[in-house]
């Protein structure tokens, strides 16, 4: 990328800052909360507004493709079908706002304050979508041309686990042919150090219920003479994990886990990670987890099993002298490469069945909600992204992982599409929390980053083009 090109785009962005902010504010004013079914019309309205913004930015077409849930926006800028195509992924749905009264300004009334824009979804993920739209606009308006084709894919169900994305992708492979995928839905910094994400954990959800009686029974009349499901469930749950070593005790659970190399472990130590502050942010006095691993290894490289809720009897009653009839637990596993979520689901189910006494009624429902992904941390894609990030933020990025899941990434990777996770989020943006915001400087730098990234990648793209057999027809 030439210095002149970067400067031209930077000038364009700075001259148009107010328009960029007002476009993003318009998108954030629509409460596109996918978790609330009654908001479906607003989710759709947000998709429609995004389609209009895509056309204004210079995309040639913008179509809302229906799914069994919320539609997926597919916007295309086709310069020449023989040129490489970059597919950009993001999402226009947002997390619920939580208690609106706790927000400094209302979540769906975007407000500029302290050189930032404050609104639900401004960082996760509408800001990233606007960066890509404006990157195209800036390149077209300041240089008059694009060196390749861009397909923007923005879904409306990421925050509920992308339940329809895989089917959408399979049904539209022809429309979605690409040479590489840029996913912009991640953090881009650890404190002020630029980072690039190379791994995501998968997610398995399990509902377990133990029933021993037809209805709650008086503990004075029946206590001591019948099975108590709360006790049975507590013993079962406790048997799944070693309380001292923090290890999961399910047979075969760790079989396919890939460990970090000694170089990767060393690079983790060099990251500017403020463990104390990070723990303090949730009111924790100290770390606890699987023995033999650091905190970053535990959240990025190791799988885990967590108990999300336990429930039996009436915990709200002043006195509750019963033997409850039923006890329920919700568990989840965060999984890492190369674990197969389907296999771990079977292992978990088998473990629960073998732990339950034969005279209780056990119900188990396990569902895969995301597959783990590990991307190469070296190679031409990473080099190109590294150059773009260094150009815009002045420092080369360090590879990191994320403990969470973005289900579509596994869909892209498994389809053989080289994928990059490039975002500019920061933990202090408060995504998924109250007072979500995005610095306006970072919004503008983000536009510059996406334009620079595209240009860097386009230069190398021909050399690493995906064979036609993998471009959608396979
Ligand atoms: Zn997101």
């Amino acid at each position: 990328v030439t210095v002149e090109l970067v400067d031209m785009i930077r000038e364009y962005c700075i001259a148009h800052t107010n328009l960029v902010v007002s476009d993003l504010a318009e998108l954030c004013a629509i409460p596109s909360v996918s978790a609330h079914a009654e908001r479906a019309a607003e989710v759709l309205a947000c998709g429609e507004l995004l389609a209009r913004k895509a056309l204004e930015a210079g995309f040639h077409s913008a179509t809302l493709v229906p799914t069994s849930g919320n539609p997926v926006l597919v916007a295309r800028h086709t310069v020449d079908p023989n040129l490489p195509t970059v597919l950009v992924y993001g999402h226009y749905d947002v997390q619920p706002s939580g208690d609106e009264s706790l927000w400094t300004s209302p979540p769906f009334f975007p407000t500029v304050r302290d050189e930032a824009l404050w609104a639900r979804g401004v960082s996760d993920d509408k800001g990233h979508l606007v960066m890509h739209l404006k990157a195209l606009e800036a390149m077209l308006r300041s240089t008059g041309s694009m060196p390749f084709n861009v397909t923007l894919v923005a879904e409306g169900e990421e925050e509920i686990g992308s339940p329809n994305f895989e089917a959408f992708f399979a049904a539209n492979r022809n429309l979605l042919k690409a040479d590489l995928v840029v996913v912009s839905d991640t953090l881009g910094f650890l404190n002020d150090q630029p980072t690039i994400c190379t791994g995501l954990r998968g997610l398995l959800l399990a509902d377990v219920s133990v029933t021993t009686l037809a209805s709650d029974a008086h503990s004075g009349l029946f206590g001591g003479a019948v099975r108590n499901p709360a006790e049975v469930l507590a013993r079962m749950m406790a048997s799944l994990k070693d309380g001292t070593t923090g290890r999961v005790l399910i047979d075969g659970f760790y079989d396919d886990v890939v460990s970090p190399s000694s170089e990767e472990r060393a690079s983790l130590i060099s990251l500017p990670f403020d463990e104390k502050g990070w723990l303090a942010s949730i009111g924790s006095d100290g770390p606890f987890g699987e023995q033999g691993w650091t905190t970053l290894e535990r959240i990025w490289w190791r799988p885990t099993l967590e108990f999300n809720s336990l429930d039996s009897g009436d915990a709200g009653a002043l006195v509750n002298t019963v033997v409850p009839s039923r006890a329920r637990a919700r568990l989840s596993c965060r999984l890492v490469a190369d674990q197969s979520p389907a296999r771990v689901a079977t292992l978990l189910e088998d473990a629960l069945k073998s732990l339950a006494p034969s005279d209780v009624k056990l119900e188990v429902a396990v569902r895969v909600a995301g597959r783990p992904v590990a991307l190469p941390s070296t190679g031409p894609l990473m080099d190109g992204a590294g150059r773009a990030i260094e150009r815009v933020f002045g420092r080369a990025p360090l590879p990191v992982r994320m403990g969470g899941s973005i289900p579509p990434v596994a869909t892209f990777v498994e389809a053989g599409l080289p994928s990059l996770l490039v975002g500019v989020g920061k933990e202090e943006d408060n995504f998924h929390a109250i007072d979500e915001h995005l610095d306006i400087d970072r919004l503008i730098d983000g536009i510059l980053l996406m334009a620079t990234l595209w240009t860097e990648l386009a230069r190398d793209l021909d050399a690493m083009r995906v064979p036609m057999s993998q471009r959608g027809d396979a």
Side-chain angles (χ1 to χ4, degrees):
V1 179
T2 62
V3 174
E4 300 85 73
L5 176 72
V6 174
D7 287 344
M8 277 161 79
I9 295 171
R10 192 191 299 273
E11 263 170 45
Y12 180 89
C13 294
I14 291 172
H16 292 80
T17 299
N18 288 344
L19 281 171
V20 172
V21 172
S22 70
D23 275 354
L24 178 54
E26 242 185 284
L27 287 163
C28 292
I30 304 180
S32 51
V33 181
S34 51
H36 296 162
E38 70 276 14
R39 297 275 205 202
E42 278 138 319
V43 177
L44 178 62
C46 189
E48 286 167 347
L49 178 61
L50 187 63
R52 284 202 297 280
K53 299 279 174 208
L55 293 173
E56 282 168 23
F59 280 90
H60 298 134
S61 67
T63 314
L64 284 170
V65 179
T67 71
S68 313
N70 299 323
V72 181
L73 172 68
V74 179
R76 301 158 75 83
H77 180 86
T78 308
V79 186
D80 175 350
N82 294 313
L83 283 173
T85 299
V86 176
L87 189 153
V88 172
Y89 167 89
H91 62 92
Y92 64 87
D93 64 321
V94 300
Q95 279 280 314
S97 61
D99 184 349
E100 297 205 6
S101 71
L102 297 175
W103 285 67
T104 306
S105 52
F108 300 108
F109 188 79
T111 306
V112 175
R113 186 168 70 244
D114 302 331
E115 285 152 43
L117 184 62
W118 301 70
R120 167 57 84 229
V122 69
S123 169
D124 180 15
D125 189 31
K126 291 173 178 174
H128 284 106
L129 289 172
V130 165
M131 287 168 210
H132 283 289
L133 296 188
K134 296 292 172 179
L136 176 71
E137 182 182 303
M139 286 183 74
L140 291 175
R141 305 262 171 96
S142 61
T143 71
S145 69
M146 277 287 285
F148 50 85
N149 311 308
V150 187
T151 303
L152 176 79
V153 173
E155 73 155 319
E157 299 187 312
E158 199 278 339
E159 298 294 4
I160 52 170
S162 305
N164 296 297
F165 191 81
E166 189 138 33
F168 154 81
F169 187 74
N172 295 280
R173 281 307 303 271
N174 268 338
L175 199 65
L176 302 174
K177 281 182 186 170
D179 296 278
L180 74 96
V181 177
V182 175
V183 172
S184 287
D185 191 21
T186 52
L187 301 181
F189 296 90
L190 197 58
N191 298 322
D192 283 323
Q193 168 65 48
T195 57
I196 183 156
C197 180
T198 61
L200 298 164
R201 291 198 287 188
L203 179 60
L204 201 67
L205 303 171
D207 285 343
V208 185
S209 123
V210 169
T211 308
T212 60
L213 306 173
S215 60
D216 291 0
H218 193 295
S219 68
L221 289 174
F222 293 97
V226 290
R227 278 272 195 208
N228 183 315
E231 182 189 329
V232 170
L233 186 67
R235 288 183 194 286
M236 288 171 61
M237 294 299 106
S239 305
L240 290 175
K241 232 170 155 179
D242 185 314
T244 308
T245 64
R247 274 183 72 86
V248 176
L249 298 175
I250 299 168
D251 263 351
F253 184 78
Y254 293 101
D255 277 1
D256 302 313
V257 172
V258 177
S259 290
S261 65
S262 49
E263 278 162 23
E264 281 162 330
R265 294 194 83 171
S267 111
L268 289 180
I269 293 167
S270 71
L271 289 172
F273 173 55
D274 169 19
E275 181 172 309
K276 264 213 167 91
W278 179 76
L279 290 166
S281 72
I282 53 158
S284 163
D285 293 336
F288 177 79
E290 190 188 356
Q291 253 172 28
W293 302 94
T294 65
T295 292
L296 286 183
E297 287 164 353
R298 286 169 182 165
I299 55 173
W300 291 351
W301 286 88
R302 301 297 294 169
T304 183
L305 182 147
E306 297 297 332
F307 305 99
N308 308 122
S309 69
L310 293 168
D311 138 51
S312 187
D314 180 1
L318 221 47
V319 178
N320 187 26
T321 50
V322 298
V323 178
S325 57
R326 186 178 185 213
R328 292 179 301 181
R330 282 204 155 147
L331 332 179
S332 56
C333 291
R334 295 282 177 176
L335 305 177
V336 296
D338 288 332
Q339 285 179 299
S340 147
R343 177 167 180 270
V344 177
T346 309
L347 295 175
L348 172 61
E349 233 177 306
D350 290 350
L352 290 166
K353 282 179 189 157
S354 73
L355 287 168
S358 57
D359 58 335
V360 308
K361 182 179 172 207
L362 174 72
E363 288 161 286
V364 181
V366 188
R367 135 179 118 77
V368 175
R371 300 186 297 280
V373 170
L375 301 171
S377 56
T378 54
L381 274 184
M382 288 294 283
D383 293 347
R387 285 195 301 274
I389 292 169
E390 187 168 3
R391 177 68 63 96
V392 175
F393 294 108
R395 265 194 284 176
L398 295 174
V400 297
R401 291 187 163 205
M402 274 178 35
S405 312
I406 307 173
V409 180
T411 306
F412 297 133
V413 170
E414 287 165 18
L417 288 167
S419 300
L420 262 181
L421 307 177
V422 177
V424 300
K426 286 191 171 186
E427 210 151 278
E428 57 264 36
D429 292 348
N430 288 347
F431 51 94
H432 294 210
I434 59 159
D435 281 347
E436 181 173 348
H437 61 284
L438 178 65
D439 302 332
I440 290 168
D441 277 355
R442 198 146 34 90
L443 172 63
I444 299 301
D445 283 346
I447 300 170
L448 192 59
L449 173 62
M450 300 316 173
T452 311
L453 173 72
W454 289 349
T455 314
E456 284 288 349
L457 294 173
R459 213 178 52 180
D460 300 335
L461 257 179
D462 271 324
M464 59 198 189
R465 275 190 98 150
V466 185
M468 283 306 286
S469 61
Q470 287 175 26
R471 297 190 66 211
D473 311 305

